[in-house]
Amino acid sequence: MGQRVLLIEDEPNIIEAIRFILSRDGWTVHTHSDGQTAQDRVRGLLPDLVILDVMLPGRSGFDILRDLRADHATKDLPVLMLTARGQAKDRELAEKLGASHFMTKPFSNAEVLEHVRLLARN
Amino acid sequence: MQTQATLTGARIRERRRLAGLKQADLAKIVGISPSYLNLIEHDRRRIGGKLLNDLARALGMDLLALSTGAEISVIAALQSIAQVHPETAANPAEATALADRFPEWAALMLKQQNTITTLQDRLTALSDRMSHDPNLASALHEVISVVTAIRSTTSILVEGPELEPDWQRRFHRNLFDDSLRLTDGARALVGYLDVPDATTNSTLSPLETVEAYFATHDYHFPDMEHPAPKSPSQSPSPTDEKAPPLAAPFLAIYRADAARIPATELAKVARQFDYDPAMIAAEFGTDLAQTLRRLASLRQDAGHPAMGLVLADAAGAITILRPIPGFSPPRTAPTCPLWPVFQAFSQPGLPIRAQVRLPGHQGLQLLCYAIAHPRTAPQFDAPPLLQAIMLMRADPPAHATPRDVAQSCRMCPHTACAARREPSALPPVKPHSIGVL
């Protein structure tokens, strides 16, 4: 079984596309679509990497990231943030909260794959 | 220093030259000698009556414009424009000469400045909307999310190795669904950002539309005066179809005021008490705010003094219900806090009478009556919502020492004023009665 990635995203067709390209690359992809329960899912699964969307139903990805970094079990977990807003202040906030990398939608598949591989290796 | 009146000759000379007429030509038209016209043009002979009228007609000018020069409001507006661009070194003191000599160009400048101000306001409003509107943010997020899904899916279909037929069908289906979502999202976005209806006047803000409506009517609505006309066709309509929606509450107040203080009696009593609001209010048994509003409805062409009427809220926002030369606060910056309408907020219910003097304007003075009052019924555990009203009378009789006020700090020469917020762009003058209220 390959390394596990948890994709927290609420757009079904984005989930399907990312799941496909990561699975094809050998990853075991788990998905979750609700912001409110996302932290519990991360703690329960403890994946090798999390891909986290910012705008989620129930709770912001920034809030989830803040709690993950405050939790001893997940504070060092690699987190790749995805957002539709590419403003500098969002990027700065993501860095401040401890995101491992920050990507703006729409992104290329190659770019996602490259950073997932890079973060998991580190 | 030359006054408005003594510039009449210069205006005649300027307009004659613009018309391509020699002194002899114009003198012949109006039936005087060229040498006499020469004296007039150099302001060595004061003229009036028929000759002034003949000269105005011959030059295609309005009699009032020829005799008194440009309106004070035009000069003040030109001075304001000069302050906006100090790097041009345009001298505000030359605004009077500009307005007198080239009234059409002055009008053009003001029209363009109004357009610029309106566009800036709209740009600010749109910028706020783009930055803070949750509906717009949601619509954009929807479009970007769908575009992201389409890009990833097409990339899988085009760039990667050949897919299994089942996966291909699945992704094609996703693309079709996303294309429908993108269509809906794009339509919603276009509809949201669509330009306003071309039939509406988009160059004015809603508040300016209300002010323009009242200015057009000079705060006088004969159909709403009491008693109501007997003819059904002339009966007061509950709403004026041409009135902007935001004007409705003001018109309802006007109608109620007119019923309480009928126009005929008002005109008589106002003259009897020389337009003193307190005495007129006592005569009718009305409150002061209502009396001030009614006085503002008196028409100048019926022999009453020129009146202006403004409202202010506690945040300093001004609504001009009847404009008057001398009171033209800037739209994009705070006005002078020394106007009595703002002083009224310090003690709601206390009537304030103050004579004010404007900088420049040949010492223009206005007699102001102001009072602040609650707009809503008193409630426990809720702050009162206050409104101040100010009636301004032009050509006031001799009163107390006038208080110096201005349209804004930028247009005020009193550098030592305690209320100053920003530096003045005008040459300083000696302080008169400037100070905190």
Side-chain angles (χ1 to χ4, degrees), chain B residues 416-435:
Chain B
C417 176
R420 179 164 293 288
R421 284 184 295 258
E422 58 181 336
S424 172
L426 300 179
V429 298
K430 289 182 180 178
H432 295 288
S433 59
I434 292 294

CSV table of all heavy atoms in Angstrom, one decimal, chain B residues 416-435:
chain,number,residue,atom,x,y,z
B,416,ALA,N,-5.3,79.6,11.6
B,416,ALA,CA,-5.2,79.4,13.1
B,416,ALA,C,-6.5,78.8,13.6
B,416,ALA,O,-6.6,78.6,14.8
B,416,ALA,CB,-5.0,80.7,13.8
B,417,CYS,N,-7.4,78.4,12.8
B,417,CYS,CA,-8.7,77.8,13.2
B,417,CYS,C,-8.5,76.5,14.1
B,417,CYS,O,-7.8,75.6,13.6
B,417,CYS,CB,-9.6,77.5,12.0
B,417,CYS,SG,-11.1,76.7,12.5
B,418,ALA,N,-9.1,76.5,15.2
B,418,ALA,CA,-8.9,75.4,16.1
B,418,ALA,C,-9.6,74.1,15.5
B,418,ALA,O,-9.3,73.0,16.0
B,418,ALA,CB,-9.5,75.7,17.5
B,419,ALA,N,-10.5,74.3,14.6
B,419,ALA,CA,-11.2,73.1,14.0
B,419,ALA,C,-10.5,72.6,12.8
B,419,ALA,O,-11.0,71.6,12.2
B,419,ALA,CB,-12.6,73.5,13.7
B,420,ARG,N,-9.3,73.1,12.5
B,420,ARG,CA,-8.7,72.7,11.2
B,420,ARG,C,-8.2,71.3,11.3
B,420,ARG,O,-7.7,70.8,12.3
B,420,ARG,CB,-7.5,73.6,11.0
B,420,ARG,CG,-6.7,73.2,9.7
B,420,ARG,CD,-5.7,74.3,9.3
B,420,ARG,NE,-6.4,75.6,8.8
B,420,ARG,CZ,-7.1,75.6,7.7
B,420,ARG,NH1,-7.1,74.6,6.9
B,420,ARG,NH2,-7.7,76.7,7.4
B,421,ARG,N,-8.5,70.5,10.2
B,421,ARG,CA,-8.2,69.1,10.1
B,421,ARG,C,-7.0,68.9,9.1
B,421,ARG,O,-6.2,68.0,9.2
B,421,ARG,CB,-9.3,68.3,9.5
B,421,ARG,CG,-10.4,68.0,10.5
B,421,ARG,CD,-11.5,67.1,9.9
B,421,ARG,NE,-12.1,67.8,8.8
B,421,ARG,CZ,-13.3,68.4,8.9
B,421,ARG,NH1,-14.0,68.3,10.1
B,421,ARG,NH2,-13.9,69.0,7.9
B,422,GLU,N,-6.9,69.8,8.1
B,422,GLU,CA,-5.8,69.7,7.1
B,422,GLU,C,-5.4,71.1,6.7
B,422,GLU,O,-6.1,72.0,6.8
B,422,GLU,CB,-6.3,68.8,6.0
B,422,GLU,CG,-7.5,69.4,5.3
B,422,GLU,CD,-7.9,68.5,4.1
B,422,GLU,OE1,-7.1,67.7,3.6
B,422,GLU,OE2,-9.1,68.5,3.7
B,423,PRO,N,-4.2,71.2,6.1
B,423,PRO,CA,-3.7,72.5,5.7
B,423,PRO,C,-4.6,73.2,4.7
B,423,PRO,O,-5.3,72.5,3.9
B,423,PRO,CB,-2.4,72.2,5.1
B,423,PRO,CG,-2.0,70.9,5.6
B,423,PRO,CD,-3.3,70.1,5.8
B,424,SER,N,-4.6,74.5,4.7
B,424,SER,CA,-5.4,75.2,3.7
B,424,SER,C,-4.6,75.4,2.4
B,424,SER,O,-3.3,75.4,2.4
B,424,SER,CB,-5.7,76.6,4.2
B,424,SER,OG,-6.3,77.4,3.2
B,425,ALA,N,-5.3,75.5,1.3
B,425,ALA,CA,-4.7,75.8,0.0
B,425,ALA,C,-4.8,77.2,-0.4
B,425,ALA,O,-4.3,77.6,-1.4
B,425,ALA,CB,-5.3,74.9,-1.0
B,426,LEU,N,-5.4,78.0,0.5
B,426,LEU,CA,-5.5,79.5,0.2
B,426,LEU,C,-4.5,80.3,1.0
B,426,LEU,O,-4.0,79.9,2.1
B,426,LEU,CB,-7.0,79.9,0.6
B,426,LEU,CG,-8.1,79.2,-0.1
B,426,LEU,CD1,-9.4,79.7,0.4
B,426,LEU,CD2,-8.0,79.4,-1.6
B,427,PRO,N,-4.3,81.5,0.6
B,427,PRO,CA,-3.4,82.4,1.4
B,427,PRO,C,-4.1,82.7,2.7
B,427,PRO,O,-5.3,82.9,2.8
B,427,PRO,CB,-3.4,83.7,0.5
B,427,PRO,CG,-3.9,83.3,-0.8
B,427,PRO,CD,-4.8,82.1,-0.6
B,428,PRO,N,-3.3,82.8,3.8
B,428,PRO,CA,-3.9,83.0,5.1
B,428,PRO,C,-4.4,84.4,5.3
B,428,PRO,O,-4.0,85.3,4.6
B,428,PRO,CB,-2.7,82.8,6.1
B,428,PRO,CG,-1.5,83.0,5.2
B,428,PRO,CD,-1.9,82.6,3.8
B,429,VAL,N,-5.4,84.5,6.2
B,429,VAL,CA,-5.9,85.9,6.6
B,429,VAL,C,-5.9,85.9,8.1
B,429,VAL,O,-5.7,85.0,8.8
B,429,VAL,CB,-7.4,86.0,6.1
B,429,VAL,CG1,-7.5,86.0,4.6
B,429,VAL,CG2,-8.3,85.0,6.8
B,430,LYS,N,-6.1,87.2,8.6
B,430,LYS,CA,-6.1,87.3,10.0
B,430,LYS,C,-7.3,86.7,10.6
B,430,LYS,O,-8.4,86.8,10.0
B,430,LYS,CB,-6.1,88.8,10.4
B,430,LYS,CG,-4.8,89.5,10.1
B,430,LYS,CD,-4.8,91.0,10.5
B,430,LYS,CE,-3.5,91.7,10.3
B,430,LYS,NZ,-3.6,93.1,10.6
B,431,PRO,N,-7.2,86.0,11.8
B,431,PRO,CA,-8.4,85.4,12.3
B,431,PRO,C,-9.5,86.4,12.8
B,431,PRO,O,-9.1,87.5,13.2
B,431,PRO,CB,-7.8,84.6,13.5
B,431,PRO,CG,-6.6,85.3,13.9
B,431,PRO,CD,-6.0,85.9,12.6
B,432,HIS,N,-10.7,86.0,12.6
B,432,HIS,CA,-11.8,86.9,13.1
B,432,HIS,C,-12.4,86.2,14.4
B,432,HIS,O,-11.9,86.4,15.5
B,432,HIS,CB,-12.9,87.0,12.0
B,432,HIS,CG,-12.4,87.7,10.8
B,432,HIS,ND1,-12.2,89.1,10.8
B,432,HIS,CD2,-12.1,87.3,9.6
B,432,HIS,CE1,-11.7,89.5,9.6
B,432,HIS,NE2,-11.7,88.4,8.9
B,433,SER,N,-13.4,85.4,14.2
B,433,SER,CA,-14.1,84.8,15.4
B,433,SER,C,-13.8,83.3,15.3
B,433,SER,O,-14.7,82.5,15.8
B,433,SER,CB,-15.5,85.1,15.3
B,433,SER,OG,-16.1,84.6,14.2
B,434,ILE,N,-12.8,82.9,14.7
B,434,ILE,CA,-12.6,81.4,14.5
B,434,ILE,C,-12.2,80.8,15.9
B,434,ILE,O,-11.4,81.3,16.7
B,434,ILE,CB,-11.4,81.2,13.6
B,434,ILE,CG1,-11.8,81.5,12.2
B,434,ILE,CG2,-11.0,79.7,13.6
B,434,ILE,CD1,-12.9,80.7,11.6
B,435,GLY,N,-12.8,79.7,16.2
B,435,GLY,CA,-12.5,79.0,17.4
B,435,GLY,C,-13.3,77.8,17.5
B,435,GLY,O,-14.2,77.5,16.7
